[in-house]
Amino acid sequence: MTAARLHGIPPTIFAEMSALAVATGAVNLGQGFPDVDGPEELIEEAVSALRSGRNQYAPGPGIPALREAVAAHQERHYGLAFDPAREVAATTGATEGIAAAILALVDPGDEVILVEPYYDSYPAMVQFAGGVRRPVTLSLDPTAPGGRLPRAALEAQISSKSKVLILNSPHNPTGTVLTREELETVAAFARDHDLTVVSDEVYEHLTFDGIPHIPIATLPGMRERTLTLSSIGKSYSFTGWKIGWATGPEHLVQALLGAKQWLTYTSGAPLQPAAAYALEHLDHWPQELALDLQGRRDLLCAGLKEIGLDVTIPEGTYFAVSDITDLGWSDGLEFCRALPERAGVVAIPLQGFYDGDAGKHLVRWTFTKQRDVIEEALDRLAQGRLAR
Ligand SMILES: *Cc1c(COP(=O)(O)O)cnc(C)c1O
């Protein structure tokens, strides 16, 4: 029998939907990974590290070159100064950063405020830690009064046990990039209730239309209470590398390392020099990727609209979300299970990323695929039987 900490956590929906894509030959706009690798130059860096003996354990907090490159990146892009020796840590992808942060900060019974729809590792890790999640629903309406995360919705989830708030902007799965005003609301809430913020910023460079990504750590009083996580995966199209990093005040980064040392101890030694190289020398690459992705976003969103699928235009990330009610459906899971058969395309239902029913009618499509793949999916959708 499995341990209770695993009970009730459903298997990831991506496994079911990707298996369905393979079994039916459907075009997979479900799982968000690029179908073209990142820069060749970085592959060469990794190969040369493998060939020059960088194959034994790296230091637990990461090689100094990576920690220095991360600190310089945070300073250059955001004006945030971190001591590479004590305030930066390498992790095995942002995923391990999330796990180590929650295990380090959440005691049994502590409450963690999550924004729903949430990335599925957050509730799983909160449960592993024995914590209790308290979801706040993100509005998809950029003109919502009080912002898409209004103070009243945040306050409704606070209690004397609240300890941590997990934020993710640019946001997977909705493509929302929180504005300065929206971030100020969250920051004031965190300060007033003395919450630690874990900020997942893996899509920090993938924003569109000139919309800036603003790290919450840059707002007044937030640097000292925020643990910021990012990784090489999304910015450099190497989602399989699993090299990430955490930055924050010494007490939070050292707490994270306290948990990390017992999870993986140390992360992929031969890939760390390549990640350092990317941050030091290839700053332009994620910018060009974002511009290119913006064009593919436009292609996908225009096509979905033409087919009659109401779509929210994403401000960042790999994903667009559409509402399927106009097609006569009310259940996204049912829609996504039927879609390969009806149209030869796979999408991801959002309902598993909410505690309640707020996302039951929503599905996610990725546009981090080559243009001809997106065009093929749109052709199939146009010819498929989408109406219920
Ligand atoms: C992809 C993703 C991650 C995981 O990042 P890795 O570096 O691959 O572990 C974490 N958070 C969000 C929101 C993501 O989309």
Side-chain angles (χ1 to χ4, degrees):
M1 268 316 282
T2 54
R5 73 178 61 82
L6 284 171
H7 293 178
I9 303 177
T12 129
I13 187 72
F14 303 105
E16 178 186 339
M17 291 300 159
S18 289
L20 196 57
V22 172
T24 60
V27 179
N28 192 351
L29 297 189
Q31 204 165 9
F33 58 88
D35 52 4
V36 177
D37 276 349
E40 186 62 34
E41 221 174 321
L42 291 187
I43 295 177
E44 291 307 324
E45 284 296 312
V47 168
S48 95
L50 282 162
R51 293 211 184 281
S52 63
R54 309 288 299 263
N55 297 302
Q56 309 310 325
Y57 294 131
I63 61 168
L66 177 57
R67 283 182 276 145
E68 280 155 23
V70 168
H73 172 276
Q74 296 305 94
E75 171 89 58
R76 187 168 71 242
H77 285 276
Y78 310 122
L80 285 165
F82 293 104
D83 172 3
R86 304 290 300 165
E87 298 183 316
V88 179
T91 58
T92 303
T95 306
E96 192 201 26
I98 294 159
I102 294 172
L103 292 173
L105 299 172
V106 177
D107 271 321
D110 284 348
E111 293 186 1
V112 178
I113 296 177
L114 303 183
V115 174
E116 65 175 16
Y118 35 66
Y119 186 63
D120 50 1
S121 85
Y122 309 156
M125 289 315 305
V126 170
Q127 181 166 323
F128 276 24
V132 176
R133 66 173 182 266
R134 297 286 296 259
V136 176
T137 306
L138 177 74
S139 165
L140 295 189
D141 175 8
T143 66
R148 288 168 288 191
L149 283 176
R151 182 75 188 234
L154 292 162
E155 288 297 341
Q157 297 302 333
I158 203 82
S159 85
S160 60
K161 294 185 177 148
S162 308
K163 191 141 182 230
V164 171
L165 182 151
I166 305 179
L167 195 66
N168 170 221
S169 177
H171 182 257
N172 171 7
T174 65
T176 302
V177 179
L178 295 175
T179 63
R180 182 173 296 280
E181 293 67 36
E182 288 166 332
L183 289 163
E184 272 166 0
T185 301
V186 176
F189 172 74
R191 286 191 305 263
D192 292 349
H193 296 288
D194 197 22
L195 302 175
T196 297
V197 175
V198 174
S199 185
D200 177 345
E201 303 183 8
V202 296
Y203 296 99
E204 60 186 320
H205 295 303
L206 304 185
T207 67
F208 312 134
D209 310 320
I211 293 171
H213 163 64
I214 303 169
I216 194 166
T218 61
L219 300 191
M222 294 309 291
R223 184 195 184 283
E224 68 232 44
R225 60 173 70 252
T226 303
L227 202 46
T228 301
L229 308 175
S230 191
S231 82
I232 205 80
K234 308 293 162 53
S235 294
Y236 290 90
S237 294
F238 285 123
T239 60
W241 279 22
K242 305 299 283 188
I243 298 293
W245 48 85
T247 54
E250 179 168 351
H251 71 280
L252 291 179
V253 170
Q254 294 307 312
L256 174 140
L257 280 172
K260 186 234 156 58
Q261 69 179 321
W262 306 121
L263 291 172
T264 56
Y265 168 53
T266 169
S267 307
L271 295 177
Q272 290 191 37
Y277 184 93
L279 295 179
E280 268 174 54
H281 300 289
L282 298 184
D283 237 3
H284 59 94
W285 203 89
Q287 254 110 50
E288 286 157 21
L289 172 62
L291 208 59
D292 191 61
L293 259 179
Q294 180 178 317
R296 288 181 274 156
R297 171 202 67 174
D298 293 342
L299 174 69
L300 176 72
C301 291
L304 290 176
K305 271 194 179 154
E306 219 164 277
I307 292 158
L309 269 157
D310 182 38
V311 64
T312 305
I313 306 299
E315 297 151 339
T317 76
Y318 284 173
F319 310 109
V321 164
S322 50
D323 180 337
I324 52 171
T325 38
D326 286 352
L327 295 172
W329 297 80
S330 59
D331 185 324
L333 183 59
E334 203 189 321
F335 175 81
C336 289
R337 281 183 173 149
L339 198 58
E341 166 83 35
R342 285 171 167 251
V345 176
V346 159
I348 296 290
L350 248 57
Q351 62 210 59
F353 310 142
Y354 286 85
D355 278 12
D357 279 341
K360 207 173 168 198
H361 59 297
L362 300 175
V363 303
R364 188 192 87 172
W365 317 84
T366 184
F367 47 87
T368 182
K369 302 292 173 193
Q370 295 182 81
R371 296 186 78 93
D372 58 344
V373 175
I374 297 171
E375 279 161 0
E376 169 70 22
L378 289 169
D379 279 349
R380 290 181 178 206
L381 288 169
Q383 284 158 31
R385 291 176 299 114
L386 299 191
R388 185 123 203 276

